[in-house]
Each structure stands twice: as C-alpha cells, then as structure tokens.
Amino acid sequence: MTSLYRHFSTAGAASSHCQLRLRLRCPPRTAAVRYGHSPKWPGIALRMPPPPGTAKCGGAWERSGVGEGERAGRCPCAVGELAESGRERRNRSAEVVVAAAVTVVMGAGNRVLYKLALVPLKNYPFFLAQLATFGYVIVYFSILYMRYQAGIVTDEMLSMPKTPFLVVGLLEALGAATGMAAGAMLSGASIPILSQAFLVWQILLSFVFLGRRYKVNQLLGCFLVAIGVILTVASGSGAGHSLKEAGIFWSLLMIVSFLFQAADTVLKEIIFLDATRKLKGGSLDLFVVNSFGSAFQALFICLLLPFLSKLWGIPFGQLPNYLKDGAACFLNVGTLSRGCDGAPLLPLLFVIVNMGFNISLLHLLKISSAVVSCLASTFSVPIAIFVFTLPLPYLGAPSSLPAGFLAGAVILIMGLLIYAWTPSNGSSSTSIPAST
C-alpha cells in the first residue's frame, strides 16, 4: 500500500495523486482550509503556512521525511485507506468461510447421493460415470454461452491459452483411470485412508510450483485433519487388513491417482493467478475453466475407453450394448427397467449436486487456495458418514457409526482450527486461506 502514495517535496506541495486522494478522502470542512494570513483570526496557527514537507488533512499536520534520501511520509488520508483495506480483508475472509461451508455441505451431499444413485444403477456404474463426464460438457458450455451473451464472460477470457485447459483435462482423465483401476482392487474402507495423500500432494505441489511456505501450525493442522478422517472411517472396518490383502502395487496406484488430482487443482489455481495478470486485475470466469477442462477431459476419456471399459469388466465390443441398457435403466423404461426403482430421479439428483459441488469447490479454489479447498472437501467425509446413520430411502437399515468416529471428528475439527489460527499477515502465501 505504501506504493500508492507519493513523496512530498520540501516546499510542501503534494503530488497530483495525493491531491486527488485528499479531495476524495478528506472531510469537506477541512479540504476548504486555506493557508495564509486571515484578517479575522490572525492568531490561529492553522492559518499559518505549513512547515516544509508537511500536508494537512482532517485538521492536523503530518510531517513527511525531509531530504531526497529519506522515505517520504504517506498522504495522511492513508488512514481511510487502511480502514478500507481492513474491511476488504474481513469481507474476503467472510467470503472464504461461506464458500467453504457451501463446499462442505455440497461435498457431503455428493457422497450420499452417489450411493443413492447406484441403487437403481447398481449394474451400470460405468454408465453413470460417463453420463456425468459427458453431460457436464453440454451443461457447462450452455451456461458459458448464456454468461457470454449476458456480458459476464468476455472475449479476453475466451482468448486465454487453451494448453493449460488441455493439461487439466489430461490430469483429470488420468486421475479417473488410475483411481478406477486401483479402486477395483481395494476395499471401500481403505480408499478414504489412502485419499489423505491428496492433501499431502497439494501441500508439496503448492510448495514447488506456487512457492507457498506453510507455518508449523498449518502443517500440524493438515496432519490432524488427515488423522481425524482416517479414524472416522477406519475404526473397526478392517481397512488395514484389506490394504495388506490388496498388495502394495494397488495402494501405490491409488496414491498416484491422487497425485494427478492434486496436480489438477494446483494447475487450476495457477490458471486463475495467470489470468488475473493477463486480464489486468480482472477475474477469469469459473465456467471458462469448467467448460474447457471438462471438454478436454471427455476427449481423453474417449481415448481411454478401451482401457476403462476393461477395468469395469466390460469387453470393449459389448460397450455399445452396455451403454444402451444403462440408458434404458436410467430412464426407467422398457423391459430392462426392473430393479431400477428410483431412476431417473436419484441419478439426476446426484449429477446436479455433483455439478454444484464441483462449481463450489472451484470457486473456493479461486478465492483461497488448493489446500483450503481440499480441507473443506475432507471435512465433508465425517458428515457423510454420519448422514448414512440416518434412515435414508432405498438404502435399507442405516449404518452404525465406527467406534472411533467421535474421536476422529474431534481431532479433525481441532486440525481445522489449528490451521485457521494462522495470522492472515504471517505468510504471504496463505494470507487468505489462513483466515478460514
């Protein structure tokens, strides 16, 4: 903020910039004060010429440094600027908190509705995955077109280089492919444990590519969050035994899949930062990133379809018939609709909430950082586990809470509080995230 002000000359004349700020910031009653002799009040000191190197604002003199070698003082109206800057920081922090809360709610709903969507499509999970992937391309580009027509998306935004979006699509496709391959061999309880590598990857990649520096309490907070999630999902589930049975290769492959996903989120953060510079302070619209990223992801998914279909146990030659039968079950029509109760409502609800989750996650990433978005997504895990203990339709008897759920939830919340305790001005890399 110091750079926004100019030095005063030794003759006491303010630069045009400071004069402008005086006209904007100073109260009207003081801005009209004139220097020089007053016949009515000859003894009033405020009517005397100002000392060299000073300026007046609000009825008081502030002295700047004297001499060319000294640093000049700020325009006295900087007090108002400081107050405004403080309000902006508080508003920004509040925006991050609200966005994080929305992401947590949408993340929990996404996990619950995915389970519900697989009730009618239990025999067609690969169809549900492709419906989401290719459906998003249509929806995102439709929204992008409407925002372009409304003037929200500009030509400058659309002219951004597309190579980063291509890399985003490649990373998302590779993350999906490797995650599917490893997920087919690992138990459901072991995957959330291995998913904590996602947070570790994001911290490392942010350190390398974004130059982020994290304080000890931030790292401790992230560590406690990971431990809390592991405790909430692993207690009494035999996850450790299932990891041994699956073998080290599939566990490492799942960890690599989270590397691709973490690189994807960090790259998106880099895209937003570069766009701010290229757009001269402007903000890149979320749907530009979502639309082109999803389009390239769909392209790479098409190239990987032979490999992906084999992972799901579907011969590539039978894939057209499989997708046709999945569409019939999704629409709940024809003779293949038996056992598809709940379709198409439950799958559509999942797709809508999943899209909302992706948008909220990207918005949180845009205004904070990849690590904060990861923490918000992670916090939705124990909430989703708790929701599954409620009597939900189509799922039968509710699940019971793991033995260590309460202890894990307490540790997770402690980790979030420790991470959020970091002073906002203590690190240039996490000034906004630390306030959340």
Side-chain angles (χ1 to χ4, degrees), residues 174-232:
L174 290 176
T178 54
M180 287 180 184
M185 305 300 297
L186 296 170
S187 68
S190 61
I191 293 176
I193 296 176
L194 296 173
S195 69
Q196 300 316 300
F198 184 51
L199 180 58
V200 177
W201 286 127
Q202 283 194 327
I203 293 175
L204 291 176
L205 293 175
S206 297
F207 178 85
V208 174
F209 294 102
L210 293 174
R212 289 258 163 82
R213 299 298 181 266
Y214 296 94
K215 291 192 171 183
V216 174
N217 57 317
Q218 289 179 309
L219 297 176
L220 177 61
C222 292
F223 174 75
L224 291 177
V225 167
I227 294 298
V229 171
I230 291 173
L231 287 177
T232 57

Side-chain angles (χ1 to χ4, degrees), residues 2 13 21 38 40 42 112 131 139 141 163 182 209 230 252 262-263 266 273 285 306 358 360 374 381 385 415-416 434:
T2 305
R21 299 192 66 83
S38 172
K40 185 177 180 181
V112 173
L131 173 68
V139 174
F141 271 100
T163 302
F209 294 102
I230 291 173
L252 290 177
V266 171
L273 294 174
D285 191 77
N358 289 329
S360 64
C374 178
V381 174
I385 293 175
L416 291 175

Side-chain angles (χ1 to χ4, degrees), residues 31 34 63 77 96 110 113 145 164 198 200 210 334 380 418 432:
R34 292 182 176 84
R63 183 174 180 85
C77 298
V96 172
N110 178 66
L113 285 172
Y145 176 77
F198 184 51
V200 177
L210 293 174
S380 66
I418 291 175
I432 296 299

